Amino acid sequence: QVQLVESGGGLAQAGGSLRLSCAVSGSTISIRTMGWYRQAPGKQRELVADITSGGTTNYADSVKGRFTISRDNAKNTVYLQMNSLKPEDTAVYYCQMTLFFMISRSIGNYWGQGTQVTVSS
């Protein structure tokens, strides 16, 4: 059973920083793209940032220069360093991974449970 476990959300003041982590367990998986999405109340879920297996990153315009996505392949973990936080960054943040299962040779998209990030002004 694949499970993505997120940590690191919480409350921050505007201008502050938070770091999110998301890890997946499993020795017979190969992780393709890793990403972070967020959903604010009354809004659709949107891509924040993603990173390919080769390390190519992509960011939403609203977070460029403030957020940094990175991955540790040895730990099957993706991180999101969030600096210069703004109240409009308040949302539930979800990690997403595209996994390749080496035994069945199948691919699937999986999501974390979500972690709340609240930025006060």
Side-chain angles (χ1 to χ4, degrees):
Q1 186 78 0
V2 173
Q3 188 174 11
L4 275 61
V5 179
E6 300 180 22
S7 61
L11 177 65
Q13 290 188 332
S17 298
L18 286 172
R19 188 189 193 211
L20 306 181
S21 301
C22 177
V24 62
S25 59
S27 60
T28 59
I29 58 174
S30 173
I31 306 173
R32 303 295 172 84
T33 300
M34 296 174 159
W36 288 96
Y37 290 72
R38 67 187 181 187
Q39 187 167 18
K43 295 187 176 182
Q44 289 188 330
R45 190 175 297 187
E46 63 175 0
L47 174 68
V48 176
D50 59 23
I51 182 168
T52 68
S53 57
T56 300
T57 58
N58 174 50
Y59 295 93
D61 288 342
S62 59
V63 306
K64 282 181 181 177
R66 300 187 299 121
F67 291 10
T68 301
I69 189 170
S70 61
R71 60 191 286 167
D72 185 333
N73 293 326
K75 296 181 179 180
N76 287 349
T77 300
V78 61
Y79 305 96
L80 185 68
Q81 178 66 44
M82 304 184 292
N83 298 328
S84 302
L85 284 163
K86 304 176 180 180
E88 50 263 43
D89 294 320
T90 295
V92 177
Y93 284 70
Y94 298 91
C95 68
Q96 182 271 334
M97 296 187 187
T98 301
L99 305 179
F100 174 73
F101 296 89
M102 289 181 274
I103 294 177
S104 63
R105 305 196 72 75
S106 61
I107 294 177
N109 290 320
Y110 292 82
W111 293 86
Q113 79 279 9
T115 185
Q116 177 70 45
V117 171
T118 302
V119 184
S120 62
S121 57

